[in-house]
Amino acid sequence: MIALLALYLPALAQSDPGTYDDATRLYRNRTYAFSCRVPVGWVLRTEQMQPDGAADNQVLLAAFERPPEARATAPVSTILIASESQSAYPGLKTAEDYFAPLTEVVTAKGFQAVNEPYPFPVGAEQVIRRDFSHEQKDHPEKEGSEKDRATTYQSTLVLLSHGSILSFTFLAASEDDVDSLIENLSFTSRIAPKSAPKSRPKTGPAKKASTLQKPPS
């Protein structure tokens, strides 16, 4: 799990770190006008997920259902929120453009895109969303049993704001659990979103990602 999340970290740009209240379990970021409530009993690893020796790199929130360093066969539900500088991706004009390099990272770890990026309303904001899944093919306890193979579902929401790319990644053991995690995210009203379907589009073969790439550092 840590190896997967680490792939998101190298390009993170300096941004407002926001604040977290232990009593309410609420993370709030006033610059980007959103908040996210962490489920009861979860552990935070925001500080631990910060890249070493990179003062400008930042993870805004990293929360886990249980410690990610612990060995587990079942998927670990996760909320990961990060910010990257839009200027690091020449040619990136829209939130949808970001899914080309992101999809390369995610599929390199064995995930499959189950649909194309699509508009998705979260309260007062409209973001772009794409869904992924990963079937664990080497379940150590129940080898050979198709129905017992653990599957991790991931949804990533993307928004461009203040010259940054905000990514909100949710992982869980089912699509319903992912949707429940997304309900913890809310935005302060800025601009009323255009009408967009709240449900997922039908699963189908994803198109090949475009060639938008981040330049080498």
Side-chain angles (χ1 to χ4, degrees):
M1 176 60 70
I2 289 179
L4 169 62
L5 297 178
L7 291 174
Y8 293 95
L9 304 184
L12 299 182
Q14 185 176 20
S15 58
D16 175 12
T19 59
Y20 179 76
D21 186 284
D22 287 314
T24 61
R25 309 182 313 282
L26 186 68
Y27 170 83
R28 187 186 304 275
N29 191 299
R30 298 187 184 280
T31 297
Y32 299 123
F34 76 88
S35 62
C36 186
R37 193 173 301 280
V38 174
V40 176
W42 280 36
V43 296
L44 295 183
R45 291 292 185 270
T46 305
E47 293 300 322
Q48 293 89 331
M49 297 298 294
Q50 303 300 334
D52 293 331
D56 291 342
N57 294 353
Q58 229 169 1
V59 173
L60 301 181
L61 179 67
F64 301 86
E65 182 183 15
R66 55 183 179 272
E69 60 271 16
R71 182 175 177 81
T73 57
V76 178
S77 294
T78 302
I79 298 174
L80 178 69
I81 303 176
S83 173
E84 300 183 54
S85 173
Q86 188 174 345
S87 64
Y89 294 84
L92 188 147
K93 302 297 183 184
T94 68
E96 187 172 353
D97 292 337
Y98 180 70
F99 280 98
L102 176 68
T103 299
E104 282 195 21
V105 171
V106 176
T107 56
K109 297 301 296 183
F111 282 77
Q112 298 294 321
V114 300
N115 48 34
E116 292 297 313
Y118 60 97
F120 183 79
V122 180
E125 191 64 73
Q126 180 167 285
V127 299
I128 303 298
R129 172 176 174 173
R130 194 171 200 184
D131 306 309
F132 305 85
S133 67
H134 177 266
E135 182 182 284
Q136 185 175 318
K137 299 185 182 300
D138 55 346
H139 197 294
E141 296 178 358
K142 300 180 180 179
E143 265 185 63
S145 176
E146 293 285 338
K147 66 179 181 179
D148 290 324
R149 288 179 178 175
T151 298
T152 300
Y153 294 88
Q154 172 181 325
S155 291
T156 296
L157 319 181
V158 173
L159 174 70
L160 303 186
S161 178
H162 292 76
S164 296
I165 306 165
L166 296 179
S167 60
F168 306 83
T169 296
F170 303 86
L171 296 98
S174 73
E175 293 178 337
D176 288 343
D177 287 345
V178 168
D179 288 338
S180 293
L181 292 179
I182 292 174
E183 291 177 0
N184 291 299
L185 177 66
S186 62
F187 287 89
T188 303
S189 179
R190 297 188 303 172
I191 300 175
K194 297 178 182 178
S195 176
K198 192 77 173 179
S199 59
R200 300 165 183 259
K202 292 181 178 179
T203 300
K207 296 177 182 177
K208 185 176 181 181
S210 67
T211 57
L212 181 65
Q213 297 288 337
K214 185 184 175 184
S217 55

